[in-house]
Amino acid sequence: MATPVPAIEVEKLTRRFGEVLALDQINLSIQQGEFFSLLGPSGCGKTTLLRIIAGLDIPDEGKVSIGGVDAGGLPAHRRPVNTVFQSYALFPHLNVWENVAFGLRMKKVPPPEIEQRVRKVMALVEIEPLAQRKPNQLSGGQKQRVALARAIVNEPQVLLLDEPLGALDLKLRKQLQIELRSLQRRLGITFIYVTHDQDEALVLSDRIAVMRDGKVEQLGDAAALYEHPRTRFVSQFLGSCSLIEGRVKQRNSNSTLVETTLGELKTASAAPAREKITLAIRPEKVQLLPCPAVAGENRIRARIEQVIYVGSGTHYELRAGTQPLRAEVMNSHAGSNSFQIGQELLVCLPPEALIVLDD
Amino acid sequence: MKRPSIVLWLNAVVLYTFLYAPIVVVIAYSFNSAKRGGPWRGFTTEWYATLFNSSEKLSAVTNTLILAVASTAISTVLGTLLGYGLSRFSFPGKKLFSWLMYIPVVVPDIVAAVAMLMFCSFVRNWTGLLELGLTTMIIAHVTFQIPLIAIIVRSRLAGMDPAIEEAAHDLGADAWQKFRYVTLPLMMPGVLAGSALAFTMSIDDFVISFFTAGPGATTLPILIYSSVKRGITPDINALATLIVLASIIGTITVTMLQRQGRDERKL
């Protein structure tokens, strides 16, 4: 079977704004029907990349192919992609129905077909009762739905979403996340989703590209990025991690011994050739051992400096010597995790939870 | 809000009396049956009738309207394009251009009038064109109307989310469709407000019209000026009253259009 044509193929894409390198030799291949997220802090180039795919910005170097076709010469209005803008950018002089019908009208689709397709899409995103309203009579969530309907009514090969939920409150955002995900599955359209919200990216995406300073720092599915971050940046941006500096002491076939300020730690990962390395551990993987515990492998002594109760769990800020550590424990049994501020205890950092970072 | 003090009230009363009393007097006298001003002799609409029977005055009204409509039509098209160009395109000399746009606004009318007169006679000497008359007046009015419209249109466009035009492009509109179905309707309140202002300024203008007018191209302000030299007749009061009425309607239109613009921008 031949490999399917990628929905979007980006090769060596570079974009400069004066001295600033917004995109630096980006290579990406996004599959048909994929929910793909570009995740990164503001200024990392994610929106620029989206705009170049849409044809709203022109790269200095590199190539974009949409469905296997070089889009280099195609202006925005002839590309088979549509955008949901961060500010929604609804047409204020048109009502909801006219906003949704805009793209079909521009393409001179016959009116009866426009009527039918607009009605279908408006039903899909549940905005039929708003048809006659003007955009300034809509709430944020309603505007969001109209912006979405206005884009998908054109049946694009790829839908580009630029922080579409950024302006909404948390509860509505959570609800729309779920709707977006099921909408994408139902339509089968490739979604490229720009966000700086790591939770959103984790919830929605098949794959995520974490971007930083115009480069893709790491690419993978949610679990791969979370369980195996390759750099300090990814480990901190996606969730949080405690970082421990150390030197390689001994390399074994399926583990590495690392000398750190906390003593000798064993990790299940292979270390790079360098001698100085950084270990990372997710807070929920740090085990707080109840009192009559004995010293052992990867067990270190720490002091509790801060206890934060968050309902479903409790967060502990620990310090082992000068090394800060964070632990998160689920409150699955009432009163089971009753550690106090100032308490000294043994902490276990399991070898398989200690990740060796590349930088 | 705090209530204003009595001093502030007094100040306002004096100020508004000073501003509007002359106009009220003119309006009142336009209904006074006394022939030579002076005391009130009873209500009449005779002067309005006289006005509409005077071919000289009617032709001045016609000239004024032709001048205002023609110059506003031309300057609305040119001024809108200028405002659009200055706000949506970048080209060398753009800064200089937008700065030059303010010159006709700040140059005193009398200077502009003399300059226009000299320009016309210069062109006439070389080409035989631009004989003084309605045509030269229209050209002169267009020169001071264009910047007004361009400035208003440009500020309207500056307040618009650039993503709206990008969305049109993204949804399949080519450059012309984007302009026709999105940009133009959105800048329309600015265009209308600008042209209403330009229209009012044209009706109102005396200095520039006076210098560029030729025989047979008398406008209302010029006619009033020349008849006042022979003493104020009541029908002039009637004429002034009608002009005031037209100005009020114009001002209300502009205000309403701008308010509509503000409402749309609140998104």
Side-chain angles (χ1 to χ4, degrees):
Chain A
M1 205 178 81
T3 33
V5 182
I8 296 284
E9 180 108 63
V10 166
E11 288 165 72
K12 292 188 175 162
L13 210 62
T14 299
R15 178 73 169 106
R16 289 179 205 91
F17 294 107
E19 293 289 294
V20 182
L21 200 55
L23 293 177
D24 185 5
Q25 300 272 326
I26 296 263
N27 291 299
L28 273 181
S29 180
I30 298 164
Q31 299 311 311
Q32 305 272 4
E34 193 170 19
F35 199 122
F36 192 93
S37 287
L38 297 168
L39 173 67
S42 57
C44 72
K46 55 192 193 302
T47 297
T48 305
L49 178 55
L50 200 75
R51 290 173 57 83
I52 288 176
I53 295 172
L56 297 171
D57 197 0
I58 297 163
D60 292 310
E61 291 156 37
K63 190 177 139 186
V64 175
S65 308
I66 303 169
V69 181
D70 182 0
L74 284 182
H77 65 275
R78 297 230 299 271
R79 295 192 179 197
V81 301
N82 286 113
T83 308
V84 176
F85 291 84
Q86 184 171 15
S87 60
Y88 313 130
L90 301 179
F91 304 123
H93 59 300
L94 302 178
N95 66 26
V96 168
W97 194 93
E98 292 164 327
N99 262 282
V100 177
F102 188 88
L104 299 177
R105 281 181 168 173
M106 292 303 114
K107 278 168 231 135
K108 309 228 156 57
V109 173
E113 189 187 336
I114 294 181
E115 184 74 41
Q116 182 209 334
R117 278 167 73 175
V118 168
R119 193 183 309 131
K120 206 174 117 199
V121 166
M122 286 180 62
L124 191 65
V125 298
E126 295 164 14
I127 52 170
E128 300 125 303
L130 309 174
Q132 299 308 317
R133 298 245 195 113
K134 285 286 184 74
N136 59 0
Q137 299 167 309
L138 301 176
S139 71
Q142 290 169 333
K143 282 183 197 168
Q144 175 49 244
R145 286 165 193 269
V146 176
L148 197 62
R150 186 178 70 171
I152 60 180
V153 75
N154 303 291
E155 294 168 6
Q157 287 179 26
V158 180
L159 186 68
L160 309 170
L161 303 105
D162 186 5
E163 308 219 7
L165 310 180
L168 305 174
D169 62 60
L170 187 65
K171 203 171 169 193
L172 192 56
R173 208 153 74 210
K174 296 266 181 222
Q175 183 198 335
L176 283 172
Q177 281 172 12
I178 297 165
E179 288 185 28
L180 265 181
R181 187 67 175 121
S182 71
L183 187 70
Q184 191 266 339
R185 290 221 172 94
R186 223 172 336 153
L187 296 172
I189 298 176
T190 310
F191 275 33
I192 302 182
Y193 193 94
V194 160
T195 181
H196 65 262
D197 182 333
Q198 42 131 339
D199 290 328
E200 205 161 279
L202 290 176
V203 168
L204 290 170
S205 322
D206 294 316
R207 284 196 304 159
I208 302 168
V210 180
M211 291 184 67
R212 180 197 187 192
D213 297 337
K215 290 196 170 87
V216 173
E217 186 107 352
Q218 191 173 348
L219 192 152
D221 62 31
L225 287 177
Y226 190 81
E227 300 293 337
H228 304 288
R230 280 212 299 267
T231 64
R232 288 162 179 260
F233 177 77
V234 175
S235 75
Q236 298 298 311
F237 196 77
L238 213 71
S240 68
C241 263
S242 303
L243 300 178
I244 305 162
E245 311 279 343
R247 287 172 179 280
V248 176
K249 194 179 175 198
Q250 193 188 332
R251 295 168 202 273
N252 301 323
S253 57
N254 53 5
S255 67
T256 310
L257 271 185
V258 185
E259 186 65 49
T260 70
T261 53
L262 305 176
E264 212 168 79
L265 290 176
K266 184 178 160 191
T267 161
S269 338
R274 288 173 286 115
E275 200 196 337
K276 276 187 75 175
I277 59 167
T278 306
L279 297 172
I281 185 163
R282 295 287 180 195
E284 70 277 10
K285 307 257 165 85
V286 174
Q287 293 167 8
L288 304 183
L289 303 176
C291 250
V294 284
E297 188 186 64
N298 282 19
R299 288 189 177 185
I300 56 171
R301 186 153 287 282
R303 199 180 117 89
I304 295 177
E305 303 225 306
Q306 183 80 265
V307 178
I308 303 157
Y309 178 79
V310 295
S312 62
T314 307
H315 298 180
Y316 296 94
E317 301 288 344
L318 308 162
R319 196 168 280 276
T322 54
Q323 171 72 49
L325 275 177
R326 169 180 285 196
E328 286 176 21
V329 181
M330 290 299 286
N331 292 333
S332 27
H333 307 289
S336 62
N337 305 307
S338 48
F339 298 105
Q340 306 298 319
I341 292 182
Q343 191 178 340
E344 297 256 348
L345 77 169
L346 273 180
V347 171
C348 179
L349 312 175
E352 55 281 2
L354 281 170
I355 310 151
V356 179
L357 299 179
D358 283 355
D359 61 345
Chain B
M1 261 196 282
K2 257 177 25 170
R3 295 191 54 172
S5 70
I6 187 80
V7 181
L8 215 56
W9 265 113
L10 218 64
N11 183 32
V13 169
V14 170
L15 208 78
Y16 279 100
T17 310
F18 187 68
L19 280 177
Y20 291 111
I23 298 175
V24 173
V25 169
V26 166
I27 296 174
Y29 269 71
S30 75
F31 296 106
N32 185 359
S33 56
K35 249 207 170 64
R36 289 271 162 212
W40 185 260
R41 289 266 166 76
F43 181 87
T44 177
T45 52
E46 183 194 344
W47 312 122
Y48 288 87
T50 322
L51 193 62
F52 287 111
N53 287 327
S54 152
S55 66
E56 182 198 27
K57 283 176 183 119
L58 281 183
S59 99
V61 170
T62 317
N63 280 337
T64 307
L65 287 178
I66 290 175
L67 172 60
V69 169
S71 63
T72 306
I74 296 170
S75 60
T76 299
V77 174
L78 296 179
T80 302
L81 290 176
L82 180 60
Y84 179 70
L86 284 174
S87 113
R88 285 295 183 265
F89 297 95
S90 57
F91 48 87
K94 180 174 169 176
K95 271 220 164 116
L96 180 73
F97 227 93
S98 21
W99 188 78
L100 280 175
M101 196 168 69
Y102 286 92
I103 290 196
V105 183
V106 293
V107 160
D109 274 6
I110 186 72
V111 177
V114 171
M116 220 33 230
L117 179 63
M118 284 171 66
F119 174 76
C120 287
S121 66
F122 178 81
V123 172
R124 195 168 55 246
N125 279 343
W126 285 95
T127 64
L129 297 170
L130 290 192
E131 197 63 54
L132 289 182
L134 258 182
T135 315
T136 52
M137 292 167 92
I138 289 171
I139 294 172
H141 279 213
V142 166
T143 59
F144 72 76
Q145 288 172 322
I146 284 179
L148 289 176
I149 295 172
I151 289 167
I152 294 177
V153 166
R154 189 176 60 164
S155 75
R156 166 97 191 151
L157 284 170
M160 216 167 98
D161 179 4
I164 290 177
E165 281 169 282
E166 287 181 348
H169 206 33
D170 182 77
L171 289 166
D174 60 30
W176 164 247
Q177 288 175 316
K178 178 175 79 175
F179 180 79
R180 169 69 186 79
Y181 296 109
V182 176
T183 317
L184 187 62
L186 286 177
M187 65 185 189
M188 215 49 195
V191 173
L192 292 177
S195 58
L197 189 65
F199 187 83
T200 319
M201 299 278 279
S202 169
I203 297 253
D204 206 40
D205 177 73
F206 169 72
V207 179
I208 292 173
S209 303
F210 188 73
F211 275 75
T212 50
T218 305
T219 61
L220 274 178
I222 297 176
L223 178 82
I224 294 175
Y225 173 72
S226 49
S227 16
V228 163
K229 282 197 291 194
R230 284 175 269 143
I232 301 172
T233 51
D235 52 341
I236 295 293
N237 291 335
L239 193 55
T241 304
L242 292 180
I243 295 178
V244 168
L245 195 69
S247 305
I248 289 173
I249 292 171
T251 313
I252 291 173
T253 312
V254 172
T255 315
M256 273 167 43
L257 287 170
Q258 280 174 341
R259 185 172 303 160
Q260 183 192 339
R262 265 203 309 280
D263 289 347
E264 268 176 19
R265 231 177 279 171
K266 268 190 285 174
L267 272 181

